[in-house]
Amino acid sequence: MNKNLLFVFAILSVVVLGLQIAEPVAAVKVIDKRVLNCPSGSQDFNSGKYVFTTYKYSNNVVWINIKGYESNGALVSSSWTQLKKVSRHKLRIKEQSIEGGWIYTYKTTTYSAVKYYWKVYRPQQTVLWTKGTSDRYWS
């Protein structure tokens, strides 16, 4: 009986030790959130706002959600973009199209998806969404 009890205790100790050593499951993390306010009478946009939220799943996978709201707060549109490192020197940009489905673009880079987002994608999107104007509408 003592041998069986000792054996069970040894197995449970190994299991508990293994659980403590194992890495925790990575959670999705919001790494960037910006709001583009569009005042009434703006030539560039309808009045309302756009909310850009960027989620980091890992260093090699980033999702960006863009939600458009009317001035009364009603959700008008929502779209997703994924940045994913698919090989050592290749990054895939997967964008939701207006018609439905996905548009794929591949970029040659050594950056991880997170680094590419901060150094290349985000600055390009800032210029695109403000159409070369100042950042006065960003908050």
Side-chain angles (χ1 to χ4, degrees), residues 79-95:
S79 67
W80 288 91
T81 300
Q82 179 195 55
L83 306 178
K84 183 176 185 177
K85 190 74 174 191
V86 292
S87 71
R88 187 173 178 197
H89 295 286
K90 196 165 287 207
L91 181 104
R92 180 181 71 199
I93 301 173
K94 176 180 169 182
E95 297 177 288

Side-chain angles (χ1 to χ4, degrees), residues 31-90:
I31 59 170
D32 191 22
K33 186 167 186 172
R34 298 184 300 157
V35 177
L36 175 62
N37 294 302
C38 306
S40 172
S42 170
Q43 294 177 345
D44 299 331
F45 307 100
N46 295 328
S47 62
K49 68 179 178 179
Y50 291 91
V51 179
F52 297 75
T53 308
T54 305
Y55 302 90
K56 173 186 169 186
Y57 284 78
S58 70
N59 277 339
N60 293 319
V61 180
V62 171
W63 282 92
I64 302 121
N65 182 233
I66 304 168
K67 291 184 179 179
Y69 296 91
E70 291 181 346
S71 55
N72 64 6
L75 180 65
V76 176
S77 64
S78 179
S79 67
W80 288 91
T81 300
Q82 179 195 55
L83 306 178
K84 183 176 185 177
K85 190 74 174 191
V86 292
S87 71
R88 187 173 178 197
H89 295 286
K90 196 165 287 207

Side-chain angles (χ1 to χ4, degrees), residues 2-14:
N2 284 341
K3 288 182 183 182
N4 289 339
L5 188 59
L6 186 60
F7 179 73
V8 170
F9 180 73
I11 295 295
L12 286 175
S13 297
V14 169

Side-chain angles (χ1 to χ4, degrees), residues 117-130:
Y117 172 77
W118 287 111
K119 293 198 173 267
V120 179
Y121 189 84
R122 187 179 192 264
Q124 286 176 350
Q125 292 303 308
T126 300
V127 170
L128 175 71
W129 277 85
T130 56

Side-chain angles (χ1 to χ4, degrees), residues 29 37 85 96 103 127 134-135:
K29 181 179 177 185
N37 294 302
K85 190 74 174 191
Q96 200 170 16
I103 299 168
V127 170
S134 70
D135 291 343

